[in-house]
Amino acid sequence: MGELLIIAVGSALVNNVVLSQFLGICPFLGVSKKVETAAGMGGAVIFVITIASFVTGLIYEFLLEPTGFEYLQTIVFILVIAALVQFVEMFLKKVMPPLYQALGVYLPLITTNCAVLGVALNNVQYEYNILQGVVNGFATAVGFTISIVIMAGIREKIECNDVTPAFKGTPIVLVTASLMAIAFFGFSGLI
């Protein structure tokens, strides 16, 4: 149990997928304009990464590894992730149309979000069993959600402030992201 807690805290805070590993930057910068949209994207990413970690773990452990086809892991993982994202997209379109509209083009981009594939590949690289992989995936996705929601909150506050014209738009967002990365670096002594 302690090992799972270390994996979870390490994945969510210490090795934050966006601010430490720099994976998933596209949706992080693109969807973090409003807190509600960022939280919706975070929820979708939590679902996709957690389920993808479970399914890719099963496929790797019971299909690819025993048959000697480990070299196909990247292709297989991409196909699994694409199928899961299609499922999430259909679900959101049917159940939550406003969130589906707000996420726009960034929802299908979860398929190509390198954070999702990165987690699946890291689970194999770190030799996690299926439970450890799912915990790592869930915690990584929670870390992504934490960082994107914090960024969205900061961006909403920045909109109300006077920003030097040279820093308006993307420059101030990148400076903010770098300061957040420095802040999250403070968690490195936690584990």
Side-chain angles (χ1 to χ4, degrees):
M1 187 65 177
E3 183 180 348
L4 294 177
L5 183 62
I6 289 172
I7 290 171
V9 172
S11 297
L13 299 176
V14 177
N15 297 317
N16 186 284
V17 72
V18 176
L19 302 173
S20 175
Q21 299 176 21
F22 306 111
L23 298 175
I25 296 290
C26 179
F28 176 72
L29 296 176
V31 182
S32 63
K33 293 177 183 166
K34 294 184 179 178
V35 173
E36 297 83 21
T37 308
M41 174 60 102
V45 168
I46 287 173
F47 177 79
V48 170
I49 289 181
T50 304
I51 300 300
S53 295
F54 177 70
V55 173
T56 57
L58 286 174
I59 289 172
Y60 185 81
E61 190 170 320
F62 295 111
L63 184 65
L64 296 178
E65 198 173 37
T67 58
F69 290 128
E70 295 97 339
Y71 61 91
L72 293 175
Q73 69 186 9
T74 304
I75 295 169
V76 171
F77 292 176
I78 288 171
L79 292 173
V80 167
I81 291 164
L84 287 170
V85 170
Q86 288 299 313
F87 174 73
V88 169
E89 190 172 1
M90 290 185 308
F91 176 79
L92 288 178
K93 189 174 185 180
K94 183 78 171 170
V95 177
M96 296 181 234
L99 180 59
Y100 175 78
Q101 292 296 327
L103 292 175
V105 70
Y106 293 101
L107 186 58
L109 284 178
I110 294 175
T111 303
T112 59
N113 185 344
C114 52
V116 182
L117 181 59
V119 170
L121 294 175
N122 280 343
N123 288 341
V124 172
Q125 181 183 2
Y126 300 151
E127 298 179 359
Y128 287 155
N129 62 35
I130 294 172
L131 177 61
Q132 291 171 328
V134 169
V135 168
N136 180 49
F138 177 76
T140 300
V142 168
F144 176 85
T145 303
I146 290 169
S147 59
I148 197 171
V149 169
I150 290 172
M151 175 60 97
I154 292 171
R155 285 181 77 172
E156 284 182 358
K157 296 293 182 187
I158 288 174
E159 298 257 336
C160 301
N161 294 325
D162 289 331
V163 177
T164 305
F167 279 100
K168 283 192 185 231
T170 305
I172 194 70
V173 173
L174 293 176
V175 168
T176 304
S178 66
L179 292 173
M180 285 177 60
I182 291 169
F184 269 70
F185 183 69
F187 290 119
S188 62
L190 194 61
I191 299 180

